[in-house]
Amino acid sequence: MSEFTNKDAENFKTFIDGHKFFFIAGHKEPDGDCMASCLGIAAILDFFKKPYQLLSAGPFKRAEIKEFESLFSNEMDFQTQEERNHTGLIITDCSEIQRLGEIDGDLKGLDIFIIDHHKTSETPENAQSFIDSHSPACAILVQKFYETLIGPLPKELSETIFFGFCTDTGYFRFIDDTQSDALASATRLVKYGANPKEAYKKINSGRPYSTRKLLGILLSRAERYLDGRLVITYETMSDTKQYGQEGRDSDALYQLLLSSEGVEAVVFLRQETDNSCTGGFRSQDKIDVSQVAAKFGGGGHKNASGMSCEGRIESLIPQVVKEFARIM
């Protein structure tokens, strides 16, 4: 855990002052917290009149972040070597270059500053960073940088940051009694003009009807393991073809399954290609799913992690169960 100080803000300001142009990037398959964090950084650079480009490998699968897609590109603007020498890369909501995904351009050799809230052991060499794994959302960290360097957030930015905070905390569901500072930050955002009711509506409304049908299929497919404490379900390539990728609602899936009596952890696997899968891991308080995600090349939070790996669902399930058996 890193407690935010004025020195951290000064270090970031020094990084900003030392470069003429910036690339701002978050992790692939972005969520609301990732988008809000990137846009918060952009607002800071706007204030200091520094040009930048917002980068994202996408895809923008979540309905609630579709409106931000047009602001991002997966192709870096061309730069001469002289221009690259004065360009900084700011990474938010992740710490590893590989988690940025497929971005057309060369990210290597740029000066890097990372703002993140995930546990990590693969921060790029020589990168500067502020990482607070105790923070429930990266957007709250970006808020602190803005407040310290500039002051109160304008209304529109406060709405964006509050939205990011709510998406990563399950609208406050994942905050515990040690994170009162995050609640204080959220309170300030409401004072700046963020509307909790509108944020909830934005996160939970407008889902395509097909996602309700898919949710029913995933629930019917769910199986219990390890004396019912672990539940695993999955999505096939055929499911994806029939119901599409737009507006998926895995958060509702996790919430429904974790609310079942005796369930301590939930895994949702998706067959992305013939030979590769992605996976989402969620848990109640005691189970650290990031330990399991790490075994498959992923990572994240104690109670919410993800992964992407080679393999097929039918062979991955017994491997996943085996890893959970070690920690449950």
Side-chain angles (χ1 to χ4, degrees):
M1 174 182 176
S2 298
E3 184 176 350
F4 185 84
T5 66
N6 287 342
K7 181 63 175 176
D8 296 310
E10 292 169 8
N11 290 341
F12 187 44
K13 181 60 164 59
T14 299
F15 183 83
I16 292 173
D17 290 340
H19 299 86
K20 296 179 179 179
F21 185 85
F22 297 87
F23 293 112
I24 306 171
H27 57 77
K28 62 184 178 181
E29 294 199 23
D31 55 14
D33 188 33
C34 179
M35 291 289 92
S37 299
C38 288
L39 294 173
I41 294 298
I44 294 174
L45 296 181
D46 280 333
F47 181 86
F48 292 113
K49 295 180 170 53
K50 293 284 188 174
Y52 57 85
Q53 183 187 13
L54 289 160
L55 297 174
S56 178
F60 288 72
K61 297 177 181 178
R62 298 171 179 263
E64 65 269 22
I65 64 169
K66 274 293 184 181
E67 65 178 281
F68 303 126
E69 184 172 9
S70 63
L71 302 176
F72 290 78
S73 173
N74 63 359
E75 182 177 348
M76 296 170 64
D77 291 342
F78 173 78
Q79 291 186 318
T80 65
Q81 185 56 52
E82 176 61 22
E83 289 171 328
R84 287 177 61 85
N85 292 339
H86 299 283
T87 293
L89 170 62
I90 302 175
I91 300 175
T92 68
D93 203 32
C94 72
S95 300
E96 301 85 5
I97 292 289
Q98 61 267 29
R99 285 208 66 210
L100 301 182
E102 297 297 322
I103 293 175
D104 187 4
D106 185 8
L107 294 170
K108 297 178 181 177
L110 298 174
D111 292 335
I112 299 174
F113 198 103
I114 294 167
I115 300 175
D116 190 19
H117 71 131
H118 298 92
K119 290 188 295 185
T120 179
S121 58
E122 299 181 23
T123 303
E125 187 177 0
N126 298 323
Q128 299 181 61
S129 64
F130 179 78
I131 300 173
D132 181 2
S133 60
H134 188 67
S135 176
C138 187
I140 290 294
L141 302 180
V142 175
Q143 175 190 350
K144 291 179 179 180
F145 277 100
Y146 191 103
E147 289 173 325
T148 305
L149 294 174
I150 302 170
L153 280 64
K155 182 177 186 297
E156 183 176 356
L157 181 59
S158 70
E159 291 172 339
T160 299
I161 296 296
F162 188 80
F163 163 76
F165 171 79
C166 289
T167 57
D168 239 34
T169 62
Y171 208 86
F172 299 91
R173 296 197 317 274
F174 307 138
I175 298 177
D176 61 34
D177 57 0
T178 68
Q179 296 170 314
S180 59
D181 182 60
L183 290 173
S185 294
T187 298
R188 294 196 302 275
L189 291 172
V190 174
K191 289 182 178 179
Y192 300 150
N195 187 320
K197 179 180 177 180
E198 290 302 314
Y200 184 87
K201 186 187 301 182
K202 183 176 181 178
I203 293 169
N204 294 285
S205 300
R207 303 287 182 180
Y209 182 71
S210 60
T211 65
R212 310 298 93 179
K213 300 284 286 186
L214 178 60
L215 182 59
I217 290 172
L218 299 178
L219 288 171
S220 68
R221 223 175 250 160
E223 295 291 344
R224 303 177 75 176
Y225 300 86
L226 305 179
D227 299 322
R229 293 177 294 158
L230 172 66
V231 174
I232 300 179
T233 190
Y234 59 89
E235 178 182 326
T236 67
M237 292 173 64
S238 177
D239 296 330
T240 305
K241 182 177 180 180
Q242 182 174 357
Y243 297 105
Q245 300 186 28
E246 302 301 317
R248 285 171 166 166
D249 197 8
S250 53
D251 291 339
L253 175 69
Y254 296 129
Q255 184 178 354
L256 286 167
L257 292 175
L258 280 174
S259 65
S260 302
E261 184 179 5
V263 175
E264 299 177 15
V266 171
V267 177
F268 172 34
L269 299 175
R270 181 184 296 120
Q271 192 76 50
E272 298 286 356
T273 70
D274 286 335
N275 299 300
S276 67
C277 290
T278 56
F281 303 77
R282 298 293 186 274
S283 69
Q284 306 285 12
D285 294 336
K286 297 179 181 180
I287 308 300
D288 186 353
V289 293
S290 68
Q291 295 182 38
V292 178
K295 296 291 185 178
F296 297 91
H301 305 294
K302 176 182 177 181
N303 302 123
S305 293
M307 64 85 169
S308 178
C309 68
E310 299 297 313
R312 294 192 59 81
I313 288 171
E314 55 268 27
S315 59
L316 277 175
I317 288 177
Q319 296 176 48
V320 169
V321 173
K322 181 179 178 181
E323 295 301 331
F324 269 98
R326 300 179 190 276
I327 64 171
M328 293 181 75

